């Protein structure tokens, strides 16, 4: 059993309270590779932002759970090396699907876990979430739960249709589970194809898809029911068109990829939404840079040559999200 406190990590409690009060959101970036970890830390340090580094079950399968845990510990030391005296880095389990997985992460030094019982019947979601909360709180680990179902398909997260969170359930759910934050469904979804073309309109000038707006009315109703309670948005990549265009220009095929417009995420950040999850945009930034580099340098084969521009491109994207979308720059609690 290792406490995250020994690793220099922090839980989400204080940073969420400050974010809700201050009208900004903490970025939650997924990582699977060293380059993603380095880019996240560089971006957080340069912008003086708190950051959540999150690991999915798929990431654990890809990279090995122990390696990722040591990478997070390394991230804290790396942030200090880059000049941040008191890094505020959370190591978070993304979409934990069982008590055992959450316990394993808590026992190995995670400071925050998500138990995603959103696909279960309501009472089963409550029972599972409560069990995780009881274990996590013994070690001062914070717990994110989910109510409502997001559409979208990724390795470990799949649902054909979305069901908005029912505002009338949130007080009962939060009270009975004791969770520290709540992921809700208001129209975001996972992956780079968040909406089917038939759900969108088309911009007549560019021919690009314009997605339907998020259900801000549902968000505001939830905020009224749970004043000041930390709300989380999953599936919040914006799928930058320039990255999609670069990928397609250099041999990729991502027709009609579409994400959540950044203005809507900016608006959400000002509300009780205090954690915004971004994974697909990092995948797109990395893939666009690698495709471009390899197409322009066909004789190069040293991975460092193409992973460096990939890392730089991800860092640029992370900084943009922090500064221009979520507003978490200069928000470290301890200067
Ligand atoms: O919400 C899901 C995250 O993007 C993680 O995706 O399960 O493919 O690692 P993954
Ligand atoms: P995106 O696929 O929109 O990046 O969402 C990531 C996410 O919600 C991770 O939990
Ligand atoms: Zn998610």
């Amino acid at each position: 059993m290792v406490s995250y406190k020994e690793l220099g990590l922090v839980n989400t409690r204080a940073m969420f309270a400050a974010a809700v009060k201050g009208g900004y959101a903490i970025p939650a970036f997924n990582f699977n590779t060293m380059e993603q970890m380095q880019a996240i830390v560089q971006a957080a340090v340069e912008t003086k932002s708190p950051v959540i580094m999150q690991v999915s079950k798929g990431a654990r399968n890809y990279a090995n759970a122990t390696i990722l845990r040591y990478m997070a510990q390394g991230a804290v030391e790396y942030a200090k090396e880059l000049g941040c005296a008191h890094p505020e880095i959370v190591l978070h389990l993304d979409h934990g699907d069982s008590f055992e997985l959450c316990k394993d992460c808590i026992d190995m030094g995670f400071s925050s876990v998500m138990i995603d019982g959103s696909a279960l019947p309501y009472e089963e979601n409550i029972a599972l979430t409560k069990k995780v909360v009881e274990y996590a709180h013994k070690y001062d680990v914070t717990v994110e739960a989910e109510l409502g179902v997001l559409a979208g398909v990724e390795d470990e997260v799949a649902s054909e249709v979305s069901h908005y969170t029912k505002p009338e359930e949130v007080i009962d759910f939060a009270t009975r589970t004791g969770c520290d934050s709540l992921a809700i469904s208001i129209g975001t979804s996972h992956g780079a194809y968040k909406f089917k073309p038939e759900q969108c309109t088309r911009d007549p000038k560019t021919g690009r898809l314009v997605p339907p707006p998020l259900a801000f009315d549902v968000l505001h109703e939830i905020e009224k029911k749970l004043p000041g309670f930390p709300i989380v948005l999953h599936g919040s990549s914006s799928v930058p068109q320039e990255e999609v265009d670069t990928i397609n220009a250099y041999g990729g095929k991502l027709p009609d990829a579409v994400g959540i417009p950044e203005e809507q995420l900016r608006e959400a950040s000002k509300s009780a939404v205090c954690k915004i999850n971004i994974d697909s945009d990092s995948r797109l930034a990395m893939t666009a840079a690698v495709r471009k580099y390899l197409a322009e340098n066909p004789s190069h084969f040293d991975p460092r040559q193409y992973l460096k521009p990939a890392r730089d491109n991800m860092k640029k994207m992370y900084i943009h999200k922090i500064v221009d979308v979520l507003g978490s720059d200069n928000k470290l609690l301890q200067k």
Side-chain angles (χ1 to χ4, degrees):
M1 172 90 205
V2 184
S3 166
Y4 66 87
K5 293 175 189 176
E6 292 165 42
L7 312 181
L9 297 160
V10 298
N11 71 19
T12 57
R13 197 167 289 121
M15 67 172 68
F16 281 177
V20 172
K21 205 163 163 234
Y24 60 92
I26 311 289
F29 298 131
N30 289 68
F31 80 107
N32 296 256
T33 72
M34 181 188 73
E35 289 75 16
Q36 284 175 312
M37 181 276 273
Q38 291 169 316
I40 293 168
V41 175
Q42 290 169 12
V45 169
E46 281 183 31
T47 58
K48 299 186 171 54
S49 173
V51 72
I52 297 170
M53 297 183 57
Q54 54 188 17
V55 166
S56 67
K57 195 172 166 184
R60 282 167 53 106
N61 290 341
Y62 171 75
N64 177 281
T66 307
I67 289 177
L68 290 174
R69 195 285 253 166
Y70 278 95
M71 275 165 67
Q73 186 177 354
V76 174
E77 298 310 314
Y78 182 44
K80 288 182 191 160
E81 207 178 295
L82 293 177
C84 179
H86 303 286
E88 287 166 25
I89 299 177
V90 173
L91 176 59
H92 175 77
L93 168 66
D94 191 26
H95 293 286
D97 60 357
S98 67
F99 172 78
E100 290 69 28
L101 175 57
C102 293
K103 179 180 181 303
D104 190 50
C105 287
I106 292 165
D107 291 353
M108 73 185 329
F110 280 55
S111 56
S112 172
V113 292
M114 174 189 194
I115 177 68
D116 181 356
S118 60
L120 297 172
Y122 183 70
E123 287 297 331
E124 286 177 41
N125 187 0
I126 288 191
L128 178 60
T129 303
K130 191 166 184 277
K131 190 174 173 192
V132 171
V133 169
E134 278 166 5
Y135 187 77
H137 283 185
K138 277 194 225 164
Y139 303 100
D140 204 18
V141 168
T142 39
V143 179
E144 174 185 327
E146 182 163 336
L147 200 50
V149 179
L150 272 70
V153 181
E154 295 202 23
D155 291 358
E156 304 286 343
V157 187
S159 176
E160 275 296 301
V161 282
S162 75
H163 303 283
Y164 290 167
T165 305
K166 297 185 183 125
E168 62 274 19
E169 288 180 347
V170 297
I171 297 178
D172 182 62
F173 186 86
T175 312
R176 286 172 62 198
T177 61
C179 64
D180 300 284
S181 60
L182 186 63
I184 61 165
S185 172
I186 56 165
T188 62
S189 75
H190 293 107
Y193 295 91
K194 299 194 184 297
F195 304 97
K196 297 194 179 78
E198 54 273 25
Q199 293 175 283
C200 304
T201 51
R202 250 182 222 280
D203 182 328
K205 278 192 207 131
T206 60
R208 284 178 183 156
L209 294 175
V210 180
L214 297 180
F216 278 98
D217 52 336
V218 175
L219 170 61
H220 296 319
E221 262 191 79
I222 292 169
E223 280 187 283
K224 268 192 224 148
K225 302 262 182 203
L226 291 175
F229 194 81
I231 300 298
V232 177
L233 284 190
H234 281 248
S236 296
S237 279
S238 55
V239 186
Q241 203 54 54
E242 61 278 16
E243 304 295 6
V244 173
D245 289 347
T246 302
I247 290 171
N248 290 340
Y250 291 99
K253 215 174 193 183
L254 297 179
D256 287 340
V258 61
I260 309 296
E262 288 185 338
E263 315 80 72
Q264 293 185 39
L265 297 170
R266 209 173 284 128
E267 189 180 333
S269 301
K270 292 181 187 145
S271 72
V273 169
C274 63
K275 172 175 181 271
I276 291 196
N277 285 12
I278 295 170
D279 186 3
S280 299
D281 284 355
S282 164
R283 299 175 181 194
L284 291 166
M286 188 171 209
T287 301
V290 170
R291 277 199 179 275
K292 182 169 190 293
Y293 186 91
L294 290 176
E296 288 174 351
N297 301 278
S299 64
H300 289 186
F301 63 94
D302 180 342
R304 292 172 297 189
Q305 291 171 310
Y306 54 83
L307 289 176
K308 189 177 181 310
R311 188 170 61 197
D312 290 345
N313 204 33
M314 288 189 287
K315 176 183 170 184
K316 194 171 111 208
M317 183 278 290
Y318 294 136
I319 290 180
H320 165 65
K321 298 288 177 183
I322 288 170
V323 175
D324 304 320
V325 186
L326 279 65
S328 64
D329 51 316
N330 294 306
K331 299 295 191 304
L332 290 175
L333 298 175
Q334 231 189 316
K335 306 289 170 200

